Amino acid sequence: MVCGLFVLLAAVAGAQAASTGACDQSACSGDDSGLRRLHHYYSELDCKPVTKPGECCPTSYDCGHMATRDKSVCYFKGKALDVRPDISALDPSACLAGCFCRQTKEAGAVAMLTCAHVECPTLFNPSLIPEGCVATYSTEKCCSDGILCPQNTTAETTKCEWKGKTYLEGEKFYPEEEAPCKTCICQKGFDGTLNGPWCKEVTCGLELHYTNYITKGCAPVFYGKSKCCPIEWRCPADDDVVVAVATSKNPVDPEAPTCKWGPLTLKQGESLVPTPKSGPGPCQRCRCEVPPHVTCATDDGQTCAPDNVPDVAAPEPVPDTTVDATTAAAARSARSITCANVRCVRKCVMVNDEPKCM
């Protein structure tokens, strides 16, 4: 499904590139906010899109520069930083101050940034904003730079309509469904789209906060599809189970991009067996969707059933009147995931009709 989506989008964008002489990769995610989030993730890490000859949309990204980075240096948006960098000069909206870069003496440790978070008065004390009024912002500042009340507006005050709601000039709005990785501010010239200077990409601070996880090859965990930044990270473990997608009837292209997961390699479209969080709760699904990194999403309210399980030999259907418990169990087992469908770091054994990596 993932490959098919990329082929379709690539064909559309490729045709656009051929007719205009330019490639608009912003169109490559279509209406899939989850894919837009992954493209944003790679862009923030300064990874370069990889496309097939004659196509526009990336099928994977090149993040090779991260393996050769100096572990004693901190980075932000692909730039090497000083020991005490001024983050606000690189991204005024990052809301960070007093940053310094340090590397611990532990073996293999990477340099990490430590910053103080700017506490905006109106954010932590909403009572400062009179009822019916709004805090106003500019794209180059972290905190609100004013307050605007309806009675103080004039005919010159810009008003922006978005999804049936009116925003006043300087007011922020968040198009989470359409563009989860953008924050917008009502400005003069707003034309009802999200592609102008009134909207900017949010900064997740991946290199600021999660360098250690990224260096270890851990996967970002996103919540659903309406949130842009990861909420936690999942790191490789010896008991991880990779669900294979290749079969004799459906071989995988050996030239297709892959994801590295600890000592294992996932082909594009393959996934780890879904795992529930500790105790009852959402299900965590991790896939090699856009290589080279495995990425995860937390599904709220969905069962942790494995997806992308390849077809295996199953017995011929038996009329319901003749099915006994043993035959039914065998049929269920044949249609479910087995050790024949998975890869493990060491070995796979079946436990209670489920594959376990030992």
Side-chain angles (χ1 to χ4, degrees):
M1 178 64 183
V2 172
C3 294
L5 176 61
F6 272 113
V7 170
L8 175 61
L9 293 174
V12 174
Q16 178 191 52
S19 61
T20 64
C23 174
D24 180 13
Q25 291 188 346
S26 64
C28 290
S29 301
D31 295 327
D32 193 327
S33 59
L35 281 179
R36 284 199 297 271
R37 177 177 61 198
L38 295 187
H39 294 315
H40 176 273
Y41 163 81
Y42 283 119
S43 176
E44 187 166 322
L45 292 179
D46 200 34
C47 298
K48 306 306 179 186
V50 177
T51 60
K52 294 181 179 180
E55 295 185 357
C56 174
C57 296
T59 54
S60 63
Y61 282 79
D62 180 2
C63 302
H65 67 288
M66 302 188 70
T68 59
R69 282 182 169 178
D70 186 343
K71 291 186 177 181
S72 65
V73 176
C74 294
Y75 296 85
F76 179 63
K77 292 188 173 182
K79 294 181 173 62
L81 304 178
D82 297 328
V83 175
R84 290 189 174 275
D86 181 7
I87 297 298
S88 62
L90 298 175
D91 187 351
S93 63
C95 293
L96 299 171
C99 299
F100 65 92
C101 175
R102 68 186 278 268
Q103 182 183 28
T104 65
K105 296 182 179 180
E106 298 176 11
V110 295
M112 300 281 290
L113 273 172
T114 301
C115 303
H117 287 265
V118 177
E119 297 186 358
C120 300
T122 55
L123 180 63
F124 289 90
N125 189 5
S127 62
L128 295 174
I129 305 174
E131 185 175 355
C133 303
V134 298
T136 58
Y137 296 83
S138 67
T139 55
E140 298 305 318
K141 291 184 179 180
C142 164
C143 298
S144 166
D145 55 8
I147 294 175
L148 181 61
C149 300
Q151 62 269 26
N152 296 328
T153 60
T154 67
E156 302 299 320
T157 301
T158 298
K159 295 182 180 180
C160 305
E161 296 284 339
W162 180 255
K163 298 201 72 173
K165 184 176 179 180
T166 301
Y167 297 89
L168 299 179
E169 186 171 342
E171 187 177 1
K172 275 187 178 182
F173 61 97
Y174 305 91
E176 290 186 343
E177 293 183 7
E178 298 79 10
C181 293
K182 285 188 176 182
T183 299
C184 303
I185 298 175
C186 179
Q187 294 179 354
K188 293 185 184 301
F190 178 71
D191 61 3
T193 72
L194 305 176
N195 300 321
W198 41 84
C199 292
K200 66 173 295 183
E201 296 283 322
V202 303
T203 298
C204 294
L206 300 175
E207 295 166 301
L208 295 178
H209 309 300
Y210 307 117
T211 298
N212 198 36
Y213 289 113
I214 296 171
T215 303
K216 290 180 179 178
C218 303
V221 180
F222 300 94
Y223 186 84
K225 289 190 175 182
S226 63
K227 302 298 181 185
C228 178
C229 301
I231 56 174
E232 59 181 315
W233 295 74
R234 175 177 173 179
C235 298
D238 288 344
D239 60 351
D240 284 330
V241 180
V242 176
V243 182
V245 295
T247 65
S248 58
K249 296 181 180 179
N250 183 33
V252 170
D253 180 1
E255 301 299 322
T258 60
C259 297
K260 192 69 175 175
W261 183 249
L264 298 171
T265 298
L266 281 72
K267 301 178 179 67
Q268 190 170 30
E270 291 186 331
S271 61
L272 302 175
V273 168
T275 57
K277 309 264 295 181
S278 56
C283 183
Q284 194 178 91
R285 299 178 182 276
C286 302
R287 294 169 53 85
C288 178
E289 189 166 8
V290 181
H293 293 175
V294 171
T295 54
C296 307
T298 297
D299 299 326
D300 193 10
Q302 295 191 16
T303 58
C304 269
D307 51 5
N308 288 337
V309 180
D311 294 334
V312 294
E316 292 296 322
V318 181
D320 291 342
T321 55
T322 64
V323 174
D324 57 23
T326 302
T327 304
R332 284 195 302 271
S333 178
R335 290 193 298 268
S336 65
I337 184 172
T338 70
C339 282
N341 311 122
V342 307
R343 295 193 302 277
C344 298
V345 175
R346 295 191 180 95
K347 65 177 182 177
C348 176
V349 297
M350 295 298 293
V351 179
N352 297 326
D353 292 330
E354 293 184 358
K356 299 291 183 183
C357 289
M358 310 297 286

